[in-house]
Amino acid sequence: MRANVVRGMLAAMLLIGAAGHAGAEGNEVFIIRVADAISPGTAEFIHHGIKTAEKLPAACIVIELDTPGGLAESMRKIVQDILASSVPVVVYVAPAGARAASAGVMITMAADIAAMAPGTNIGAAHPVGAGGQEIGGTMSEKVVNDMVAQAKSVAEHRGRNPQWVERAIRESVSATETEALKENVIDLIAQDTDDLIRQINGRTLAGKGSLRLDAPRKTVLEEDLRAKILKAISSPNIAYILLMLGIAGLYFEFSHPGAVFPGVVGGICLVLAFFALQTLPVNYAGIMLIVLAILFFIMEMKVASYGLLSVAGIICLLLGSLMLFEGESPESRLAWGVLAPTLILVSGFFTAVAFLVFRSQVSAPMTGSAGLVGEIGVVKKALAPRGKVFVHGELWNAVAATAIAENVPVRVVKVTGLLLEVEPAEESRPA
């Protein structure tokens, strides 16, 4: 009987401890602040935050959103992470004056709970190309229809207004927080994060249970150095420029060993470029064509192709640059305003360096003993047959087949060690 009582007490203590532990974990709110364009760095930051919250597990994740839009590929990754999250995700458009435009609309639609602060707006989700250019023709129709289909699917999955989302994409309509609430685009309006937590406390979410947020512990996730660097360089245009600078720097270092600085800068740029390319939709055929272009430029330094290898290298560089990024959305591709000048400058640089190196290899030596042959000097000590001549700024021992008096111009015909063999210069020979 006594043993049964002891076992019962121990079991009760374990249950109380487990409940207390679960309550501590389940009472934590993770806050992720996004106040920038949506990029691969942003997608990586949110992905890391969701995975961290799932490991605890936290009670919920609040994404405080203020964005003008961004890359469609990155937006899709964020939407996928939110929909797949086992922890409830709340997207809160805040603070006052913030917006969830373009890609921000889709991220808000994907949330378990969508909220906005007073003085905010959402909408204007019509897709545009890199740099904000309008997409024309069949491509525009294709991109818009694809985005509308995804947006309506996500909105219906979350029980929100699919018709409004379609108009936001096709017609670039936008709404204030009160209009969005009336149109069933969002679930609530909250003054601040504390007000948001009070309003969602006790709310039941399909498949995720009820939120228990009494006296929650708020944890703000900060971007680490990796996320900050990735956010800064993960645009296709910047990644391409870094790649070209890196290749050009290493190419110059290999063709002029000992320069050091171009090689160091090129190496850093190349590492940053590869770091950015890992998050972008890269076509490896484009990478191979760029590598082939570099090989052609290197061969131009070794082979007298009369410019044919340089032309082949420029063509491969152009094709490789056009094929480098394969994303479906226009903003995930290179902008012509970046591609054209970068390609012209880099191709001109490669061609100029290859030409200079080739010319230096085939030109006559200008220094050393080989550079003395053919030089004109003056006899400083009569050659009979030995004496001294002044040539190339130096005084040399010299020998001649015939006697030559002082101050007579001579030409160097051969160099043997430190002895010059000379003959009278043409202008000093007797008629």
Side-chain angles (χ1 to χ4, degrees), residues 105 123-126 163-174:
V105 175
H126 186 80
Q163 289 76 29
W164 183 91
V165 177
E166 182 174 2
R167 287 193 293 117
I169 296 172
R170 294 192 185 277
E171 305 171 19
S172 293
V173 299
S174 189

Side-chain angles (χ1 to χ4, degrees), residues 108-109 114 116 122 155-156 158-165 167 175-188 203:
T108 306
M109 288 291 127
M116 295 175 67
I122 185 173
E156 290 170 356
R158 292 304 193 194
R160 300 195 173 96
N161 189 340
Q163 289 76 29
W164 183 91
V165 177
R167 287 193 293 117
T176 64
E177 75 281 1
T178 53
E179 292 170 342
L181 183 61
K182 183 179 179 180
E183 293 280 354
N184 189 29
V185 176
I186 61 172
D187 302 303
L188 56 95
R203 183 170 295 211

